[in-house]
PDB file of all heavy atoms in Angstrom:
ATOM      1  N   ASN B1327      99.157 106.983  81.453  1.00 89.00           N
ATOM      2  CA  ASN B1327      98.017 107.041  80.561  1.00 89.00           C
ATOM      3  C   ASN B1327      96.663 107.156  81.298  1.00 89.00           C
ATOM      4  O   ASN B1327      95.683 107.484  80.695  1.00 89.00           O
ATOM      5  CB  ASN B1327      97.947 105.822  79.606  1.00 89.00           C
ATOM      6  CG  ASN B1327      97.873 104.478  80.416  1.00 89.00           C
ATOM      7  OD1 ASN B1327      98.041 104.423  81.660  1.00 89.00           O
ATOM      8  ND2 ASN B1327      97.516 103.450  79.726  1.00 89.00           N
ATOM      9  N   ARG B1328      96.736 106.978  82.599  1.00 90.00           N
ATOM     10  CA  ARG B1328      95.482 107.130  83.410  1.00 90.00           C
ATOM     11  C   ARG B1328      95.491 108.349  84.232  1.00 90.00           C
ATOM     12  O   ARG B1328      96.506 108.706  84.820  1.00 90.00           O
ATOM     13  CB  ARG B1328      95.375 105.895  84.344  1.00 90.00           C
ATOM     14  CG  ARG B1328      95.367 104.542  83.526  1.00 90.00           C
ATOM     15  CD  ARG B1328      95.360 103.362  84.467  1.00 90.00           C
ATOM     16  NE  ARG B1328      95.504 102.079  83.701  1.00 90.00           N
ATOM     17  CZ  ARG B1328      94.713 101.033  83.910  1.00 90.00           C
ATOM     18  NH1 ARG B1328      93.736 101.089  84.850  1.00 90.00           N
ATOM     19  NH2 ARG B1328      95.053  99.956  83.247  1.00 90.00           N
ATOM     20  N   LEU B1329      94.399 108.967  84.233  1.00 93.00           N
ATOM     21  CA  LEU B1329      94.212 110.258  84.969  1.00 93.00           C
ATOM     22  C   LEU B1329      92.913 110.281  85.700  1.00 93.00           C
ATOM     23  O   LEU B1329      91.861 109.906  85.086  1.00 93.00           O
ATOM     24  CB  LEU B1329      94.313 111.493  84.031  1.00 93.00           C
ATOM     25  CG  LEU B1329      94.348 112.821  84.603  1.00 93.00           C
ATOM     26  CD1 LEU B1329      95.274 113.803  83.814  1.00 93.00           C
ATOM     27  CD2 LEU B1329      93.000 113.406  84.817  1.00 93.00           C
ATOM     28  N   TYR B1330      92.900 110.692  86.921  1.00 93.00           N
ATOM     29  CA  TYR B1330      91.730 110.679  87.838  1.00 93.00           C
ATOM     30  C   TYR B1330      91.507 112.042  88.428  1.00 93.00           C
ATOM     31  O   TYR B1330      92.485 112.758  88.804  1.00 93.00           O
ATOM     32  CB  TYR B1330      91.939 109.716  89.014  1.00 93.00           C
ATOM     33  CG  TYR B1330      92.287 108.315  88.561  1.00 93.00           C
ATOM     34  CD1 TYR B1330      93.617 108.036  88.324  1.00 93.00           C
ATOM     35  CD2 TYR B1330      91.335 107.358  88.605  1.00 93.00           C
ATOM     36  CE1 TYR B1330      93.995 106.756  87.977  1.00 93.00           C
ATOM     37  CE2 TYR B1330      91.733 105.998  88.251  1.00 93.00           C
ATOM     38  CZ  TYR B1330      92.981 105.677  87.948  1.00 93.00           C
ATOM     39  OH  TYR B1330      93.380 104.464  87.578  1.00 93.00           O
ATOM     40  N   TRP B1331      90.335 112.406  88.575  1.00 95.00           N
ATOM     41  CA  TRP B1331      89.921 113.651  89.382  1.00 95.00           C
ATOM     42  C   TRP B1331      89.124 113.178  90.636  1.00 95.00           C
ATOM     43  O   TRP B1331      88.228 112.381  90.491  1.00 95.00           O
ATOM     44  CB  TRP B1331      89.033 114.576  88.517  1.00 95.00           C
ATOM     45  CG  TRP B1331      89.801 115.390  87.506  1.00 95.00           C
ATOM     46  CD1 TRP B1331      89.880 115.049  86.199  1.00 95.00           C
ATOM     47  CD2 TRP B1331      90.496 116.546  87.733  1.00 95.00           C
ATOM     48  NE1 TRP B1331      90.604 116.134  85.549  1.00 95.00           N
ATOM     49  CE2 TRP B1331      91.079 116.995  86.415  1.00 95.00           C
ATOM     50  CE3 TRP B1331      90.810 117.379  88.874  1.00 95.00           C
ATOM     51  CZ2 TRP B1331      91.786 118.157  86.339  1.00 95.00           C
ATOM     52  CZ3 TRP B1331      91.542 118.518  88.727  1.00 95.00           C
ATOM     53  CH2 TRP B1331      92.101 118.919  87.469  1.00 95.00           C
ATOM     54  N   TYR B1332      89.545 113.754  91.725  1.00 93.00           N
ATOM     55  CA  TYR B1332      88.845 113.491  92.991  1.00 93.00           C
ATOM     56  C   TYR B1332      88.519 114.836  93.607  1.00 93.00           C
ATOM     57  O   TYR B1332      89.163 115.796  93.463  1.00 93.00           O
ATOM     58  CB  TYR B1332      89.724 112.661  93.922  1.00 93.00           C
ATOM     59  CG  TYR B1332      89.637 111.207  93.740  1.00 93.00           C
ATOM     60  CD1 TYR B1332      90.161 110.544  92.619  1.00 93.00           C
ATOM     61  CD2 TYR B1332      88.987 110.457  94.719  1.00 93.00           C
ATOM     62  CE1 TYR B1332      90.042 109.185  92.426  1.00 93.00           C
ATOM     63  CE2 TYR B1332      88.908 109.096  94.460  1.00 93.00           C
ATOM     64  CZ  TYR B1332      89.468 108.377  93.357  1.00 93.00           C
ATOM     65  OH  TYR B1332      89.313 107.136  93.170  1.00 93.00           O
ATOM     66  N   ARG B1333      87.515 114.763  94.521  1.00 94.00           N
ATOM     67  CA  ARG B1333      87.083 115.933  95.270  1.00 94.00           C
ATOM     68  C   ARG B1333      87.233 115.612  96.764  1.00 94.00           C
ATOM     69  O   ARG B1333      86.767 114.607  97.180  1.00 94.00           O
ATOM     70  CB  ARG B1333      85.737 116.504  94.985  1.00 94.00           C
ATOM     71  CG  ARG B1333      85.295 117.766  95.703  1.00 94.00           C
ATOM     72  CD  ARG B1333      83.963 118.187  95.214  1.00 94.00           C
ATOM     73  NE  ARG B1333      82.860 117.332  95.557  1.00 94.00           N
ATOM     74  CZ  ARG B1333      81.666 117.499  95.178  1.00 94.00           C
ATOM     75  NH1 ARG B1333      81.255 118.480  94.392  1.00 94.00           N
ATOM     76  NH2 ARG B1333      80.666 116.664  95.581  1.00 94.00           N
ATOM     77  N   GLN B1334      87.802 116.570  97.515  1.00 91.00           N
ATOM     78  CA  GLN B1334      87.967 116.372  98.907  1.00 91.00           C
ATOM     79  C   GLN B1334      87.416 117.519  99.771  1.00 91.00           C
ATOM     80  O   GLN B1334      87.976 118.589  99.628  1.00 91.00           O
ATOM     81  CB  GLN B1334      89.357 115.990  99.316  1.00 91.00           C
ATOM     82  CG  GLN B1334      89.694 115.560 100.762  1.00 91.00           C
ATOM     83  CD  GLN B1334      91.040 115.243 100.988  1.00 91.00           C
ATOM     84  OE1 GLN B1334      92.018 115.743 100.358  1.00 91.00           O
ATOM     85  NE2 GLN B1334      91.321 114.414 102.035  1.00 91.00           N
ATOM     86  N   THR B1335      86.544 117.322 100.645  1.00 90.00           N
ATOM     87  CA  THR B1335      86.116 118.333 101.538  1.00 90.00           C
ATOM     88  C   THR B1335      86.719 118.136 102.849  1.00 90.00           C
ATOM     89  O   THR B1335      87.268 117.067 103.208  1.00 90.00           O
ATOM     90  CB  THR B1335      84.519 118.325 101.713  1.00 90.00           C
ATOM     91  OG1 THR B1335      84.109 117.030 102.098  1.00 90.00           O
ATOM     92  CG2 THR B1335      83.868 118.747 100.337  1.00 90.00           C
ATOM     93  N   LEU B1336      86.728 119.203 103.722  1.00 83.00           N
ATOM     94  CA  LEU B1336      87.552 119.212 104.901  1.00 83.00           C
ATOM     95  C   LEU B1336      87.143 118.077 105.846  1.00 83.00           C
ATOM     96  O   LEU B1336      85.972 117.820 106.082  1.00 83.00           O
ATOM     97  CB  LEU B1336      87.271 120.598 105.629  1.00 83.00           C
ATOM     98  CG  LEU B1336      88.322 121.004 106.649  1.00 83.00           C
ATOM     99  CD1 LEU B1336      89.669 121.138 105.951  1.00 83.00           C
ATOM    100  CD2 LEU B1336      87.947 122.242 107.333  1.00 83.00           C
ATOM    101  N   GLY B1337      88.167 117.314 106.265  1.00 78.00           N
ATOM    102  CA  GLY B1337      87.934 116.262 107.153  1.00 78.00           C
ATOM    103  C   GLY B1337      87.343 114.921 106.564  1.00 78.00           C
ATOM    104  O   GLY B1337      87.066 114.035 107.287  1.00 78.00           O
ATOM    105  N   GLN B1338      87.258 114.933 105.256  1.00 81.00           N
ATOM    106  CA  GLN B1338      86.685 113.732 104.618  1.00 81.00           C
ATOM    107  C   GLN B1338      87.759 113.162 103.633  1.00 81.00           C
ATOM    108  O   GLN B1338      88.699 113.833 103.239  1.00 81.00           O
ATOM    109  CB  GLN B1338      85.467 114.138 103.783  1.00 81.00           C
ATOM    110  CG  GLN B1338      84.312 114.672 104.577  1.00 81.00           C
ATOM    111  CD  GLN B1338      83.792 113.573 105.598  1.00 81.00           C
ATOM    112  OE1 GLN B1338      83.597 112.453 105.138  1.00 81.00           O
ATOM    113  NE2 GLN B1338      83.597 114.080 106.844  1.00 81.00           N
ATOM    114  N   GLY B1339      87.568 111.928 103.304  1.00 81.00           N
ATOM    115  CA  GLY B1339      88.445 111.349 102.323  1.00 81.00           C
ATOM    116  C   GLY B1339      88.058 111.816 100.920  1.00 81.00           C
ATOM    117  O   GLY B1339      86.956 112.264 100.680  1.00 81.00           O
TER     118      GLY B1339
END
Side-chain angles (χ1 to χ4, degrees):
Chain B
N1327 60 347
R1328 301 172 187 229
L1329 186 147
Y1330 307 79
W1331 284 99
Y1332 274 71
R1333 180 174 72 185
Q1334 185 177 27
T1335 53
L1336 200 61
Q1338 299 295 313

